[in-house]
Amino acid sequence: MSDMLKFPQDDTDFNVALSMSLVLFGFDGSQLQLLLTRSKREPFKDALFLPSRYLEAQDELALSARSMFHGLFGYDDPEIIEQLKAFGGVFRHPFGRVINIAFYALVRKEDFLAEKWEHHGMQWSPVDRVPDLAFDHNEIVKYARERLKRRVKRRPVGFQLLPDEFTLGQLQTLYEQALGKTFDKRNFRKKLFKSPLLHDLERKATGGETGQHKGSQLYAFERERYQRMKNEGYDFLF
Amino acid sequence: MSDMLKFPQDDTDFNVALSMSLVLFGFDGSQLQLLLTRSKREPFKDALFLPSRYLEAQDELALSARSMFHGLFGYDDPEIIEQLKAFGGVFRHPFGRVINIAFYALVRKEDFLAEKWEHHGMQWSPVDRVPDLAFDHNEIVKYARERLKRRVKRRPVGFQLLPDEFTLGQLQTLYEQALGKTFDKRNFRKKLFKSPLLHDLERKATGGETGQHKGSQLYAFERERYQRMKNEGYDFLF
DNA sequence: CCAAAAGTGTTACCCGTACACCCATGG
DNA sequence: CCATGGGTGTACGGGTAACACTTTTGG
């Protein structure tokens, strides 16, 4: 019971290191993907793992995540990044305990600053074929995929994962990948047209560019409208 | 970009302290409540806050939460306690950075070891009248209430919050408190009887003991049945 | 005796689901 | 010309939501 009252008494109580990892989901039109990087040092030399950083004691958690995100994508936004939870207890550094706080974000693959990062071993990997990762990062990825499933049901995640113009086929594939099941085309469309968030661009893609045959209708998300509606209490539900 | 690769270089990088807080929800038959304790020292002397502890570097996060829980309730169970997330950046101790990792659990108020703890300033407080708390604990409580809302929809939380025998009125009040809305009595009952988890004890409470007038039917949850069904993929949905 | 909560069924509507065929085009 | 994905409507069933009155008993 006295431990309820225990406070750090001196600086020997400040002996834990913090790290932060980003789980970044992207979508290439047919597959959900995950950004991974390659470790250059022991104890996991050459293993893949999530983009990660050790934090200084003064680093704000969310700000550190945003700044790392900015480095990778060239922009950032407080709404994009969300904390998952703290992971502890698996990897211990020779100098002591490390707590990893994981964040997640949904991004557009094409925003990734590939030229800048690819030669550092950064690469996209399909989420259903994620290899063994260093540390406990497979566990983090698993947790993040569950979170994504829940978010897909309650937020229009297409906003974040798809380019400005997209087809309903791509949108459906995205939902199928994220939730791990397939949907009936007609029902899927009906469902999404119930919410007034899809703007018909009244233009068709020529088939070739999206790998289709018959060119398909292009849509955009009504970003501002969604923001306004959200402020008025609108609740997206897939 | 080099910060992507930064590892702790020596023990001066291990300079963060960890703390852990529990958000414990209970229910007294008519109100959702929260367990709070009173700070005995600066910088928040006499303020209320969540039961909390500083962690040693070697403490496992989940095990520490369980052990504190055990101290308060005399039992514990890995399934009860769930991590919320890490909260950082608000309170900084004179000696350095403190990261607080919050956990939450749903408990039966009557299991609380009141005799042991009440004279330490521990007390239940109705969730809709939580006072200003020390540190960033109001933020943690807010986050925990959102989590509870989601859990109520997907898990039979009555299991954890109600005593072995309870009435449908109590159960409904619990759902109304947790979700912040009211329900039609008949629809509520239909909905809950769809799942086979309520066992009719074929006994009525005498009105007086539960503060009612007309005595009402007593029910129990089918614990084992729920466990079995869950293993077979059953998904509770309110 | 009255205030307070218990208990009980029916109806209307909405939403989710199942289901099959023709069309346009790239190769 | 054919393989591939695009595009379209209907019917059924289940679930949710709205709704009002009688019963019991504590005080």
Side-chain angles (χ1 to χ4, degrees):
Chain A
M1 84 193 200
S2 60
D3 60 3
M4 187 83 50
L5 308 167
K6 187 178 165 299
F7 271 62
Q9 297 305 320
D10 56 55
D11 59 10
T12 66
D13 285 328
F14 287 82
N15 53 5
V16 172
L18 285 183
S19 68
M20 183 220 68
S21 297
L22 296 181
V23 186
L24 299 167
F25 288 109
F27 183 65
D28 65 3
S30 66
Q31 279 196 307
L32 258 184
Q33 311 207 315
L34 194 58
L35 191 58
L36 297 177
T37 187
R38 198 168 287 283
S39 171
K40 292 189 176 159
R41 59 179 79 204
E42 299 303 336
F44 287 103
K45 193 155 164 25
D46 296 327
L48 287 167
F49 70 127
L50 294 169
S52 304
R53 237 194 76 187
Y54 280 86
L55 299 183
E56 309 288 337
Q58 73 281 1
D59 292 339
E60 285 289 342
L61 301 180
L63 289 182
S64 302
R66 283 177 61 184
S67 107
M68 185 166 177
F69 185 92
H70 188 276
L72 295 169
F73 289 86
Y75 70 99
D76 86 305
D77 175 341
E79 304 265 308
I80 292 178
I81 300 175
E82 185 180 339
Q83 190 193 129
L84 290 170
K85 69 170 189 175
F87 291 82
V90 176
F91 174 64
R92 289 152 199 267
H93 190 280
F95 284 109
R97 179 68 176 280
V98 178
I99 297 287
N100 186 347
I101 297 174
F103 291 79
Y104 113 136
L106 305 179
V107 301
R108 304 180 184 198
K109 269 194 68 179
E110 66 268 25
D111 289 342
F112 176 56
L113 303 174
E115 337 68 62
K116 187 171 164 192
W117 291 106
E118 260 168 1
H119 63 279
H120 284 88
M122 286 231 172
Q123 56 192 268
W124 293 95
S125 161
V127 286
D128 44 12
R129 261 169 244 154
V130 174
D132 283 347
L133 304 179
F135 312 111
D136 53 348
H137 287 193
N138 287 99
E139 187 195 340
I140 299 177
V141 169
K142 191 175 157 202
Y143 190 87
R145 291 189 65 174
E146 291 304 317
R147 177 80 61 117
L148 173 59
K149 275 192 191 178
R150 292 197 300 271
R151 293 292 179 259
V152 165
K153 296 237 166 219
R154 312 233 47 147
R155 294 183 194 172
V157 294
F159 276 95
Q160 293 157 51
L161 286 161
L162 287 169
D164 283 337
E165 308 190 342
F166 54 88
T167 70
L168 290 179
Q170 293 171 328
L171 190 60
Q172 181 168 348
T173 305
L174 168 55
Y175 274 76
E176 291 179 342
Q177 293 264 326
L179 294 172
K181 43 181 152 176
T182 58
F183 299 101
D184 177 272
K185 216 191 310 184
R186 284 166 290 193
N187 296 337
F188 181 80
R189 283 157 196 245
K190 259 183 292 177
K191 203 171 196 175
L192 282 166
F193 283 126
K194 266 192 318 185
S195 79
L197 297 175
L198 284 177
H199 174 56
D200 187 332
L201 292 171
E202 296 175 352
R203 239 163 1 90
K204 284 190 191 300
T206 71
E209 56 188 89
T210 36
Q212 305 149 342
H213 295 256
K214 182 176 173 177
S216 57
Q217 196 56 238
L218 288 171
Y219 291 86
F221 273 113
E222 300 260 22
R223 281 195 141 63
E224 293 80 10
R225 181 161 195 178
Y226 175 60
Q227 283 304 330
R228 259 186 289 120
M229 292 173 68
K230 213 171 48 166
N231 293 337
E232 292 160 5
Y234 169 74
D235 209 15
F236 177 87
L237 236 174
F238 175 71
Chain B
M1 83 192 198
S2 60
D3 61 1
M4 187 84 50
L5 308 167
K6 187 178 165 298
F7 270 63
Q9 297 305 321
D10 56 56
D11 59 10
T12 67
D13 284 327
F14 286 82
N15 51 6
V16 172
L18 285 183
S19 70
M20 182 219 68
S21 296
L22 296 182
V23 186
L24 298 167
F25 289 109
F27 183 67
D28 66 2
S30 66
Q31 279 196 309
L32 257 184
Q33 310 207 317
L34 195 56
L35 191 59
L36 297 176
T37 187
R38 198 168 286 282
S39 171
K40 292 190 174 156
R41 60 179 79 204
E42 299 304 338
F44 289 102
K45 194 155 163 27
D46 295 328
L48 287 168
F49 70 128
L50 295 169
S52 305
R53 238 194 74 187
Y54 281 85
L55 298 183
E56 309 288 338
Q58 73 282 0
D59 291 340
E60 285 289 341
L61 302 180
L63 289 181
S64 301
R66 284 177 61 184
S67 109
M68 185 167 177
F69 185 93
H70 188 275
L72 294 169
F73 289 87
Y75 70 98
D76 87 304
D77 175 340
E79 305 264 310
I80 293 179
I81 302 175
E82 185 180 338
Q83 190 193 127
L84 290 170
K85 69 170 189 174
F87 291 82
V90 177
F91 173 64
R92 289 152 199 267
H93 189 280
F95 284 110
R97 178 68 176 281
V98 178
I99 295 288
N100 186 346
I101 296 172
F103 291 79
Y104 113 136
L106 306 179
V107 302
R108 304 179 183 199
K109 268 193 68 180
E110 65 267 26
D111 289 343
F112 175 57
L113 303 175
E115 336 70 62
K116 186 171 164 192
W117 291 107
E118 262 167 0
H119 62 279
H120 284 89
M122 286 231 172
Q123 56 193 268
W124 293 95
S125 161
V127 286
D128 44 12
R129 261 170 245 156
V130 174
D132 283 346
L133 304 180
F135 312 110
D136 52 349
H137 287 193
N138 286 99
E139 187 195 340
I140 299 178
V141 169
K142 192 173 158 204
Y143 190 88
R145 291 189 66 173
E146 291 304 316
R147 178 79 63 116
L148 173 60
K149 274 193 191 176
R150 291 198 301 270
R151 292 291 179 260
V152 165
K153 296 237 165 219
R154 313 232 44 149
R155 295 183 193 172
V157 295
F159 276 96
Q160 293 157 52
L161 287 161
L162 289 168
D164 283 337
E165 308 190 342
F166 55 88
T167 70
L168 289 180
Q170 293 171 328
L171 190 60
Q172 180 170 348
T173 305
L174 168 54
Y175 274 76
E176 291 178 342
Q177 293 264 326
L179 294 173
K181 43 182 153 176
T182 58
F183 299 99
D184 178 89
K185 214 192 311 183
R186 285 166 287 192
N187 295 336
F188 181 81
R189 282 156 196 244
K190 262 182 289 178
K191 202 172 196 174
L192 282 166
F193 282 127
K194 266 191 317 183
S195 78
L197 297 175
L198 285 176
H199 175 58
D200 187 334
L201 292 171
E202 295 177 349
R203 238 161 3 91
K204 284 190 191 301
T206 73
E209 55 189 88
T210 35
Q212 306 148 343
H213 295 256
K214 181 177 174 178
S216 59
Q217 196 58 238
L218 290 170
Y219 292 87
F221 273 113
E222 300 260 20
R223 280 196 142 62
E224 294 80 10
R225 180 162 195 177
Y226 175 59
Q227 284 304 331
R228 260 185 290 121
M229 290 173 68
K230 213 170 47 165
N231 294 337
E232 293 159 6
Y234 170 73
D235 209 16
F236 177 86
L237 236 173
F238 174 71

